């Protein structure tokens, strides 16, 4: 595992950014293109093991560490409609922490890697870190307390563990094919 | 085992009558995370990351999502207050 320095200095931020970027380098280009040839080595190893090794070195924050005020657990109508529209309009939709180029969490990173390995050409990523209402609202909407969250063809599939499981069984690739054909 | 571990074990056993239940505290593997260093007091006691493998008849007929949602509902308190991350494998008996 990548050792990090003990205090939050510029150097440790730099190191963390380097680790994130070096892992993300392939994804940054690839997520909008078809799967490049060199990634085929990823398929030969057990996918969940390879992905877990990648994620273990990154900052993982599956749950929000910031406490949410009671009102935040409510889902107001405007936010509900926004989420419903996102689900309706995007065949492949991910609510994540950070962006596909720079995931801010190990589990969101895993989700990105799964989508990349499946060769997803086009998907919508919503960065919950930049929208507090969506961040809390989506947990109520999906009845799922954690981020990331994957919607395919308007159906909520689950988080990164589920994505890895469904990738291993081949289910995910099938669903994604249908979604991308629509 | 720690209080969070015990609570998880107790609640899942009570609600699901599982035929098999394995709970692994994986917190040590995350001890070098940025969050841990920013707020060491929060993560000092371990019990922040768990892997749960549970087999129960109550999962029969439920989709993967519904199985996870059931476990989340049972462990709602722990998730809100104590646990940082949770990994679930929920099976129905063969």
């Amino acid at each position: 595992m990548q050792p990090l320095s003990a205090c939050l200095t510029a150097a440790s931020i730099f190191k963390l950014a380097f680790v994130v970027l070096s892992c993300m380098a392939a994804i940054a280009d690839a997520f909008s293109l078809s799967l490049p040839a060199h990634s085929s080595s990823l398929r030969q190893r057990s996918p969940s093991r390879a992905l877990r090794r990648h994620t273990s070195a990154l900052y993982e924050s599956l749950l929000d560490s910031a406490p949410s005020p009671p009102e935040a657990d409510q889902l107001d109508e405007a936010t509900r409609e926004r989420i419903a529209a996102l689900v309706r309009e995007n065949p492949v939709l991910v609510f994540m922490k950070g962006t596909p180029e720079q995931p801010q969490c190990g589990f969101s990173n895993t989700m990105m890697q799964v989508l990349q390995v499946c060769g997803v050409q086009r998907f919508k990523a919503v960065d919950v870190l930049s929208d507090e209402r969506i961040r809390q609202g989506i947990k109520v909407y999906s009845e799922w307390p954690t981020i990331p969250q994957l919607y395919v063809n308007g159906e909520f599939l689950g988080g990164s563990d589920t994505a890895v499981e469904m990738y291993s069984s081949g289910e995910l690739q099938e669903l994604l094919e249908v979604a991308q054909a629509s | 085992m720690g209080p969070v571990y015990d609570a998880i074990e107790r609640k899942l056993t009570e609600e699901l009558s599982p035929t098999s239940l394995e709970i692994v505290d994986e917190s040590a593997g995350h001890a070098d995370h940025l969050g841990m260093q920013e707020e060491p007091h929060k993560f000092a006691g371990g019990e922040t990351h768990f892997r749960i493998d549970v087999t129960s008849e109550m999962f029969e007929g439920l989709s993967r999502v519904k199985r996870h949602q059931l476990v989340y509902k049972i462990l709602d308190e722990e998730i809100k207050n104590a646990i940082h991350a949770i990994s679930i494998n929920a099976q129905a008996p063969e």
Side-chain angles (χ1 to χ4, degrees), chain B residues 67-83:
Chain B
R67 293 179 186 183
H68 283 51
Q69 285 172 331
L70 181 54
V71 175
Y72 283 142
K73 223 167 268 167
I74 296 170
L75 299 178
D76 186 54
E77 214 179 292
E78 283 70 31
I79 289 174
K80 281 209 168 74
N81 301 320
I83 303 175

PDB file of all heavy atoms in Angstrom, chain B residues 67-83:
ATOM      1  N   ARG B  67     -31.614  -7.248  -1.130  1.00  0.00           N
ATOM      2  CA  ARG B  67     -30.910  -7.928  -0.034  1.00  0.00           C
ATOM      3  C   ARG B  67     -30.032  -6.939   0.717  1.00  0.00           C
ATOM      4  O   ARG B  67     -30.015  -6.899   1.948  1.00  0.00           O
ATOM      5  CB  ARG B  67     -30.028  -9.051  -0.591  1.00  0.00           C
ATOM      6  CG  ARG B  67     -30.799 -10.184  -1.190  1.00  0.00           C
ATOM      7  CD  ARG B  67     -29.868 -11.247  -1.748  1.00  0.00           C
ATOM      8  NE  ARG B  67     -30.633 -12.271  -2.447  1.00  0.00           N
ATOM      9  CZ  ARG B  67     -30.093 -13.360  -2.987  1.00  0.00           C
ATOM     10  NH1 ARG B  67     -28.792 -13.565  -2.886  1.00  0.00           N
ATOM     11  NH2 ARG B  67     -30.850 -14.227  -3.609  1.00  0.00           N
ATOM     12  N   HIS B  68     -29.276  -6.138  -0.050  1.00  0.00           N
ATOM     13  CA  HIS B  68     -28.399  -5.149   0.573  1.00  0.00           C
ATOM     14  C   HIS B  68     -29.219  -4.129   1.347  1.00  0.00           C
ATOM     15  O   HIS B  68     -28.859  -3.734   2.458  1.00  0.00           O
ATOM     16  CB  HIS B  68     -27.559  -4.425  -0.481  1.00  0.00           C
ATOM     17  CG  HIS B  68     -26.408  -5.238  -0.979  1.00  0.00           C
ATOM     18  ND1 HIS B  68     -26.516  -6.519  -1.426  1.00  0.00           N
ATOM     19  CD2 HIS B  68     -25.094  -4.949  -1.060  1.00  0.00           C
ATOM     20  CE1 HIS B  68     -25.338  -6.975  -1.790  1.00  0.00           C
ATOM     21  NE2 HIS B  68     -24.447  -6.042  -1.585  1.00  0.00           N
ATOM     22  N   GLN B  69     -30.354  -3.705   0.740  1.00  0.00           N
ATOM     23  CA  GLN B  69     -31.193  -2.715   1.414  1.00  0.00           C
ATOM     24  C   GLN B  69     -31.714  -3.248   2.738  1.00  0.00           C
ATOM     25  O   GLN B  69     -31.836  -2.512   3.714  1.00  0.00           O
ATOM     26  CB  GLN B  69     -32.356  -2.292   0.509  1.00  0.00           C
ATOM     27  CG  GLN B  69     -31.931  -1.355  -0.603  1.00  0.00           C
ATOM     28  CD  GLN B  69     -33.028  -1.075  -1.605  1.00  0.00           C
ATOM     29  OE1 GLN B  69     -33.898  -1.911  -1.818  1.00  0.00           O
ATOM     30  NE2 GLN B  69     -32.987   0.085  -2.221  1.00  0.00           N
ATOM     31  N   LEU B  70     -32.001  -4.544   2.780  1.00  0.00           N
ATOM     32  CA  LEU B  70     -32.473  -5.161   4.013  1.00  0.00           C
ATOM     33  C   LEU B  70     -31.394  -5.096   5.085  1.00  0.00           C
ATOM     34  O   LEU B  70     -31.652  -4.734   6.234  1.00  0.00           O
ATOM     35  CB  LEU B  70     -32.886  -6.620   3.739  1.00  0.00           C
ATOM     36  CG  LEU B  70     -33.424  -7.437   4.913  1.00  0.00           C
ATOM     37  CD1 LEU B  70     -34.576  -6.723   5.590  1.00  0.00           C
ATOM     38  CD2 LEU B  70     -33.865  -8.813   4.437  1.00  0.00           C
ATOM     39  N   VAL B  71     -30.186  -5.455   4.709  1.00  0.00           N
ATOM     40  CA  VAL B  71     -29.077  -5.408   5.671  1.00  0.00           C
ATOM     41  C   VAL B  71     -28.828  -3.968   6.120  1.00  0.00           C
ATOM     42  O   VAL B  71     -28.620  -3.691   7.301  1.00  0.00           O
ATOM     43  CB  VAL B  71     -27.784  -5.997   5.060  1.00  0.00           C
ATOM     44  CG1 VAL B  71     -26.607  -5.830   6.013  1.00  0.00           C
ATOM     45  CG2 VAL B  71     -27.989  -7.467   4.733  1.00  0.00           C
ATOM     46  N   TYR B  72     -28.888  -3.032   5.179  1.00  0.00           N
ATOM     47  CA  TYR B  72     -28.698  -1.619   5.534  1.00  0.00           C
ATOM     48  C   TYR B  72     -29.745  -1.162   6.536  1.00  0.00           C
ATOM     49  O   TYR B  72     -29.460  -0.412   7.470  1.00  0.00           O
ATOM     50  CB  TYR B  72     -28.791  -0.733   4.290  1.00  0.00           C
ATOM     51  CG  TYR B  72     -27.556  -0.741   3.407  1.00  0.00           C
ATOM     52  CD1 TYR B  72     -27.678  -0.708   2.017  1.00  0.00           C
ATOM     53  CD2 TYR B  72     -26.278  -0.756   3.952  1.00  0.00           C
ATOM     54  CE1 TYR B  72     -26.553  -0.700   1.211  1.00  0.00           C
ATOM     55  CE2 TYR B  72     -25.155  -0.748   3.150  1.00  0.00           C
ATOM     56  CZ  TYR B  72     -25.299  -0.719   1.780  1.00  0.00           C
ATOM     57  OH  TYR B  72     -24.202  -0.708   0.963  1.00  0.00           O
ATOM     58  N   LYS B  73     -30.985  -1.613   6.314  1.00  0.00           N
ATOM     59  CA  LYS B  73     -32.067  -1.202   7.211  1.00  0.00           C
ATOM     60  C   LYS B  73     -31.827  -1.739   8.627  1.00  0.00           C
ATOM     61  O   LYS B  73     -31.990  -1.032   9.616  1.00  0.00           O
ATOM     62  CB  LYS B  73     -33.410  -1.718   6.674  1.00  0.00           C
ATOM     63  CG  LYS B  73     -34.527  -0.685   6.750  1.00  0.00           C
ATOM     64  CD  LYS B  73     -35.742  -1.111   5.928  1.00  0.00           C
ATOM     65  CE  LYS B  73     -35.678  -0.562   4.524  1.00  0.00           C
ATOM     66  NZ  LYS B  73     -36.608  -1.135   3.583  1.00  0.00           N
ATOM     67  N   ILE B  74     -31.412  -3.004   8.695  1.00  0.00           N
ATOM     68  CA  ILE B  74     -31.167  -3.622   9.996  1.00  0.00           C
ATOM     69  C   ILE B  74     -30.042  -2.908  10.728  1.00  0.00           C
ATOM     70  O   ILE B  74     -30.090  -2.708  11.940  1.00  0.00           O
ATOM     71  CB  ILE B  74     -30.811  -5.120   9.825  1.00  0.00           C
ATOM     72  CG1 ILE B  74     -32.011  -5.866   9.236  1.00  0.00           C
ATOM     73  CG2 ILE B  74     -30.384  -5.742  11.144  1.00  0.00           C
ATOM     74  CD1 ILE B  74     -31.690  -7.289   8.816  1.00  0.00           C
ATOM     75  N   LEU B  75     -29.015  -2.502   9.988  1.00  0.00           N
ATOM     76  CA  LEU B  75     -27.835  -1.892  10.601  1.00  0.00           C
ATOM     77  C   LEU B  75     -27.848  -0.374  10.510  1.00  0.00           C
ATOM     78  O   LEU B  75     -26.807   0.278  10.597  1.00  0.00           O
ATOM     79  CB  LEU B  75     -26.566  -2.438   9.927  1.00  0.00           C
ATOM     80  CG  LEU B  75     -26.363  -3.942  10.034  1.00  0.00           C
ATOM     81  CD1 LEU B  75     -25.108  -4.361   9.286  1.00  0.00           C
ATOM     82  CD2 LEU B  75     -26.266  -4.360  11.498  1.00  0.00           C
ATOM     83  N   ASP B  76     -29.056   0.189  10.347  1.00  0.00           N
ATOM     84  CA  ASP B  76     -29.184   1.630  10.105  1.00  0.00           C
ATOM     85  C   ASP B  76     -28.440   2.479  11.137  1.00  0.00           C
ATOM     86  O   ASP B  76     -27.724   3.411  10.799  1.00  0.00           O
ATOM     87  CB  ASP B  76     -30.673   1.997  10.100  1.00  0.00           C
ATOM     88  CG  ASP B  76     -30.893   3.434   9.706  1.00  0.00           C
ATOM     89  OD1 ASP B  76     -30.407   3.827   8.638  1.00  0.00           O
ATOM     90  OD2 ASP B  76     -31.510   4.173  10.482  1.00  0.00           O
ATOM     91  N   GLU B  77     -28.602   2.126  12.409  1.00  0.00           N
ATOM     92  CA  GLU B  77     -27.974   2.915  13.482  1.00  0.00           C
ATOM     93  C   GLU B  77     -26.450   2.881  13.389  1.00  0.00           C
ATOM     94  O   GLU B  77     -25.787   3.913  13.473  1.00  0.00           O
ATOM     95  CB  GLU B  77     -28.394   2.312  14.808  1.00  0.00           C
ATOM     96  CG  GLU B  77     -28.569   3.299  15.915  1.00  0.00           C
ATOM     97  CD  GLU B  77     -29.018   2.564  17.162  1.00  0.00           C
ATOM     98  OE1 GLU B  77     -30.156   2.059  17.153  1.00  0.00           O
ATOM     99  OE2 GLU B  77     -28.208   2.459  18.099  1.00  0.00           O
ATOM    100  N   GLU B  78     -25.910   1.683  13.201  1.00  0.00           N
ATOM    101  CA  GLU B  78     -24.459   1.551  13.119  1.00  0.00           C
ATOM    102  C   GLU B  78     -23.910   2.327  11.925  1.00  0.00           C
ATOM    103  O   GLU B  78     -22.862   2.948  11.990  1.00  0.00           O
ATOM    104  CB  GLU B  78     -24.060   0.072  12.986  1.00  0.00           C
ATOM    105  CG  GLU B  78     -24.134  -0.702  14.296  1.00  0.00           C
ATOM    106  CD  GLU B  78     -25.536  -0.898  14.757  1.00  0.00           C
ATOM    107  OE1 GLU B  78     -26.444  -1.000  13.887  1.00  0.00           O
ATOM    108  OE2 GLU B  78     -25.769  -0.919  15.974  1.00  0.00           O
ATOM    109  N   ILE B  79     -24.648   2.271  10.808  1.00  0.00           N
ATOM    110  CA  ILE B  79     -24.192   2.951   9.609  1.00  0.00           C
ATOM    111  C   ILE B  79     -24.209   4.456   9.809  1.00  0.00           C
ATOM    112  O   ILE B  79     -23.296   5.176   9.400  1.00  0.00           O
ATOM    113  CB  ILE B  79     -25.059   2.556   8.402  1.00  0.00           C
ATOM    114  CG1 ILE B  79     -24.765   1.112   8.022  1.00  0.00           C
ATOM    115  CG2 ILE B  79     -24.823   3.469   7.217  1.00  0.00           C
ATOM    116  CD1 ILE B  79     -25.654   0.568   6.941  1.00  0.00           C
ATOM    117  N   LYS B  80     -25.226   4.955  10.482  1.00  0.00           N
ATOM    118  CA  LYS B  80     -25.317   6.405  10.676  1.00  0.00           C
ATOM    119  C   LYS B  80     -24.244   6.898  11.630  1.00  0.00           C
ATOM    120  O   LYS B  80     -23.712   7.985  11.466  1.00  0.00           O
ATOM    121  CB  LYS B  80     -26.692   6.777  11.248  1.00  0.00           C
ATOM    122  CG  LYS B  80     -27.806   6.806  10.233  1.00  0.00           C
ATOM    123  CD  LYS B  80     -28.897   7.818  10.620  1.00  0.00           C
ATOM    124  CE  LYS B  80     -29.849   8.060   9.481  1.00  0.00           C
ATOM    125  NZ  LYS B  80     -30.779   6.924   9.251  1.00  0.00           N
ATOM    126  N   ASN B  81     -23.911   6.114  12.647  1.00  0.00           N
ATOM    127  CA  ASN B  81     -23.084   6.649  13.715  1.00  0.00           C
ATOM    128  C   ASN B  81     -21.670   6.118  13.810  1.00  0.00           C
ATOM    129  O   ASN B  81     -20.804   6.770  14.325  1.00  0.00           O
ATOM    130  CB  ASN B  81     -23.766   6.388  15.071  1.00  0.00           C
ATOM    131  CG  ASN B  81     -25.130   7.024  15.126  1.00  0.00           C
ATOM    132  OD1 ASN B  81     -25.306   8.129  14.641  1.00  0.00           O
ATOM    133  ND2 ASN B  81     -26.098   6.326  15.677  1.00  0.00           N
ATOM    134  N   ALA B  82     -21.467   4.885  13.368  1.00  0.00           N
ATOM    135  CA  ALA B  82     -20.171   4.295  13.679  1.00  0.00           C
ATOM    136  C   ALA B  82     -19.376   3.844  12.464  1.00  0.00           C
ATOM    137  O   ALA B  82     -18.194   4.133  12.351  1.00  0.00           O
ATOM    138  CB  ALA B  82     -20.350   3.115  14.635  1.00  0.00           C
ATOM    139  N   ILE B  83     -20.063   3.160  11.555  1.00  0.00           N
ATOM    140  CA  ILE B  83     -19.314   2.510  10.491  1.00  0.00           C
ATOM    141  C   ILE B  83     -18.982   3.485   9.363  1.00  0.00           C
ATOM    142  O   ILE B  83     -19.792   4.308   8.981  1.00  0.00           O
ATOM    143  CB  ILE B  83     -20.117   1.336   9.909  1.00  0.00           C
ATOM    144  CG1 ILE B  83     -20.478   0.356  11.013  1.00  0.00           C
ATOM    145  CG2 ILE B  83     -19.324   0.621   8.841  1.00  0.00           C
ATOM    146  CD1 ILE B  83     -21.370  -0.754  10.535  1.00  0.00           C
TER     147      ILE B  83
END
